[in-house]
Structure formats: structure tokens, C-alpha cells
Amino acid sequence: MGKRPPGLDAARAGKPDELTRIKGVGPGNSQRLNGLGIYHFDQIAAWSRDEIAWVGTYLAFPGRIDRENWVGQAKALSAPAQ
């Protein structure tokens, strides 16, 4: 169900974002996301509905991505500081 989002082989410049800054992403889900090639806020910010559905099947609590608005949080965290 859904579509796998684009992943990376490793974090850019060897420095992953601290995904646990997104409410609802604890250490376990952060590790799961890294295992799927998701290391950065901008990756999560770009997820489509199909990609959210696909990633949701790998998390401990289905529906968490929408319930806690991970995409919106990631957009805010990846925005350039002003």
C-alpha cells in the first residue's frame, strides 16, 4: 500500500537531522526512518499521501504521521531561519 519515498544511502555530509525533534518521532521511529533512508527534515516535508501511507506501515503506531502532522512539523524545521 502506498509508495516508497526516495531515500538516501546515508545522511548528507554525514550529519543526519535530529528527527526526534518532530513530535511523535522517538528514538525507535528515528532508527526505523534511518533504515528506510530518511535522515532529513526536508525529506519528510516532501512526502505525498502515498508516501505517508507506505512509511506508516513501518512505524510502531499506524496513523501517527497524520495525527501528529509530521509533514507540517518537518516543513517548519527545514525552513531557513529568518
Side-chain angles (χ1 to χ4, degrees), residues 13-70:
K15 296 181 182 180
D17 292 336
E18 184 55 56
L19 298 181
T20 57
R21 290 181 59 200
I22 296 174
K23 181 182 176 216
V25 177
N29 279 334
S30 181
Q31 286 183 332
R32 285 182 189 94
L33 291 169
N34 290 170
L36 297 172
I38 307 299
Y39 298 95
H40 301 285
F41 298 130
D42 65 316
Q43 290 177 277
I44 296 170
W47 286 350
S48 68
R49 294 296 325 148
D50 282 344
E51 292 167 340
I52 289 168
W54 190 90
V55 174
T57 65
Y58 287 87
L59 303 179
F61 301 103
R64 174 165 263 180
I65 297 170
D66 286 323
R67 188 170 53 253
E68 299 187 7
N69 190 22
W70 286 13

